[in-house]
């Protein structure tokens, strides 16, 4: 009958079929850069796709509010100098016994309040976009400007530009989105019946010559529309071939349980709704129902009442099926 046998092997690990996946940026690596004050966009220094450093100027905004903020700092700095002079004078008078300690304490309190106000005004200007060096230069030269510089909070890539040159923007209006591109995430839609054997750390084969991906999270809920579970993998060193928004096909390398075996795919057949293999014993063959877990080229990983080293038929299956179902008249 041309029957050929093959031994059942243990499936210590196996690779799943190709599964769809989306390349996304981890949310903690992205930032929205907004206008800290309203005004007119007079210059755009960066465009989508540009790499920027932390603190790099992305846009210039002409904002009348900037003049008011700088004026408040200069006024506070003037009050601080006056309070410092009064403190130094009263400290000398106290040493000479001319004034009471209470007056000295009141003078020191006014100085500390003035110093706190100056620190607050400096912090406000830094929050709206002035660098510490620019704030120090303002206090030194007392020359005010109405230009607000919008800076990148992180090093990364500009992934979206939402501002237009000549546009008048409001306070807190988004202008850019900047993101770091390493690492990236793969969001894999794994069928519910295929997640057995997936665990954090499982390796993921990606369509790249370089790059390494491993499972970091297995979702707890099932998508009711397609009965899939979210499996998230983290990818390192993937900038050469993976980009956010890209759809790719991946394969998961999974660990096997003790009751999973590797057999040639040609040994698997179906009779009605049952998937089975024909196992060999001394007096002939008997059918063993199995469930296919994964396919690896010419081999399949199955579960069923098999044992390692047992022999199954890989050819002559049609004759065995005919004998099993009685179609040969025997």
């Amino acid at each position: 009958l041309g029957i050929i046998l093959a031994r059942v092997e243990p499936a210590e690990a196996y690779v799943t079929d190709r599964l769809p996946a989306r390349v996304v940026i981890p949310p903690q690596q992205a930032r929205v850069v907004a206008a800290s004050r309203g005004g007119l966009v007079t210059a755009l220094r960066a465009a989508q796709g540009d790499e920027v450093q932390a603190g790099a100027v992305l846009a210039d905004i002409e904002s009348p509010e900037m003049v008011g903020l700088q004026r408040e700092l200069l006024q506070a700095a003037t009050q601080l100098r006056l309070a410092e002079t009064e403190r130094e004078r009263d400290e000398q008078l106290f040493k000479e016994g001319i004034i009471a300690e209470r007056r000295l304490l009141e003078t020191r309190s006014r100085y500390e309040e003035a110093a706190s106000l100056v620190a607050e005004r400096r912090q406000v200007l830094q929050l709206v976009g002035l660098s510490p060096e620019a704030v120090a230069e303002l206090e030194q030269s007392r020359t005010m400007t109405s230009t607000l510089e919008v800076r990148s909070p992180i090093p990364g890539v500009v992934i979206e530009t939402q501002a237009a040159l000549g546009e008048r923007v409001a306070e807190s209006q988004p202008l850019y989105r900047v993101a770091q591109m390493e690492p990236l995430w793969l969001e894999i839609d794994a069928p519910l019946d295929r997640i057995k054997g997936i665990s954090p750390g499982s390796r993921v084969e990606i369509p790249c010559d370089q790059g390494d991906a491993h499972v970091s999270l297995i979702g707890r809920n099932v998508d009711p529309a397609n009965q899939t579970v979210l499996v998230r993998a983290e990818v390192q060193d993937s900038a050469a071939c993976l980009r956010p928004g890209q759809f790719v096909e991946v394969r998961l390398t999974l660990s096997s349980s003790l009751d999973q075996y590797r057999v040639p795919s040609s040994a698997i057949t179906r009779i009605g709704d049952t998937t089975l293999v024909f196992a060999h014993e001394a007096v002939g063959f008997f059918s063993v129902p199995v469930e296919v877990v994964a396919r690896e080229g010419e081999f399949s990983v199955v579960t069923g009442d098999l044992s390692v080293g047992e022999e199954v038929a890989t050819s002559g299956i049609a004759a065995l099926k005919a004998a099993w179902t009685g179609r040969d008249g025997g």
Side-chain angles (χ1 to χ4, degrees):
L1 297 178
I3 298 174
I4 298 176
L5 304 178
R7 293 188 180 277
V8 175
E9 299 177 355
E12 297 177 355
Y14 61 92
V15 180
T16 66
D17 298 334
R18 297 188 181 277
L19 299 173
R22 300 175 299 277
V23 183
V24 299
I25 299 172
Q28 66 270 21
Q29 294 174 201
R31 298 289 186 277
V32 174
V33 184
S36 54
R37 291 294 184 275
L40 181 70
V41 179
T42 58
L44 296 175
R45 307 286 188 88
Q48 184 173 342
D50 288 351
E51 292 189 12
V52 296
Q53 299 298 320
V57 178
L58 303 179
D60 291 340
I61 297 177
E62 285 295 320
S63 175
E65 295 183 45
M66 281 293 295
V67 176
L69 295 175
Q70 294 169 90
R71 183 182 66 251
E72 291 174 356
L73 171 60
L74 295 178
Q75 290 174 347
T78 300
Q79 294 298 321
L80 176 61
R81 286 193 295 271
L82 177 60
E84 184 177 14
T85 300
E86 292 178 349
R87 186 199 64 181
E88 292 174 351
R89 181 199 62 196
D90 284 359
E91 286 178 347
Q92 182 62 35
L93 292 176
F94 178 73
K95 289 179 181 179
E96 296 174 359
I98 299 176
I99 63 173
E101 184 179 9
R102 178 182 178 84
R103 175 173 165 179
L104 175 60
L105 294 176
E106 291 175 348
T107 304
R108 285 176 175 173
S109 177
R110 287 194 294 272
Y111 169 77
E112 291 173 357
E113 290 177 359
S116 298
L117 183 59
V118 169
E120 176 188 335
R121 300 304 184 193
R122 288 172 180 164
Q123 185 68 28
V124 169
L125 285 174
Q126 291 179 27
L127 288 174
V128 300
L130 284 186
S131 65
E133 295 77 14
V135 173
E137 176 64 24
L138 169 64
E139 294 185 61
Q140 181 68 28
S141 65
R142 303 184 70 81
T143 301
M144 294 182 288
T145 177
S146 61
T147 300
L148 168 62
E149 294 180 335
V150 179
R151 299 177 179 272
S152 175
I154 58 172
V157 176
V158 177
I159 59 175
E160 185 178 358
T161 302
Q162 298 172 289
L165 189 64
E167 178 186 7
R168 186 168 294 278
V169 296
E171 182 177 347
S172 301
Q173 180 173 334
L175 305 177
Y176 289 93
R177 286 183 64 210
V178 180
Q180 296 172 319
M181 296 305 211
E182 290 289 345
L184 293 173
W185 281 354
L186 287 171
E187 293 188 343
I188 306 165
D189 295 323
L192 181 60
D193 58 354
R194 299 290 181 88
I195 64 172
K196 185 178 181 180
I198 302 177
S199 60
S202 296
R203 186 174 178 274
V204 180
E205 293 185 4
I206 58 178
C208 295
D209 294 333
Q210 61 182 10
D212 193 26
H214 293 85
V215 172
S216 60
L217 177 141
I218 303 169
R220 300 295 299 274
N221 60 305
V222 178
D223 187 336
N226 52 24
Q227 293 296 291
T228 59
V229 176
L230 171 66
V231 176
R232 181 180 298 148
E234 187 172 291
V235 188
Q236 300 285 351
D237 302 325
S238 61
C241 68
L242 295 182
R243 287 169 172 75
Q246 181 180 359
F247 283 84
V248 296
E249 290 185 334
V250 301
R251 302 175 72 185
L252 297 171
T253 302
L254 308 181
S255 58
S256 172
S257 62
L258 295 177
D259 61 345
Q260 292 179 340
Y261 308 94
R262 181 179 284 105
V263 299
S265 296
S266 58
I268 300 172
T269 188
R270 293 184 64 87
I271 296 180
D273 295 332
T274 304
T275 302
L276 52 85
V277 297
F278 287 102
H280 180 245
E281 60 180 6
V283 296
F285 292 86
F286 63 99
S287 64
V288 180
V290 296
E291 179 182 352
V292 178
V293 177
R295 298 185 185 276
E296 299 178 305
E298 297 179 355
F299 291 87
S300 296
V301 177
V302 300
T303 60
D305 188 17
L306 296 171
S307 59
V308 175
E310 189 174 8
E311 293 181 325
V312 295
T314 61
S315 67
I317 304 297
L320 290 173
K321 287 177 63 176
W324 184 257
T325 58
R327 292 178 183 175
D328 61 347

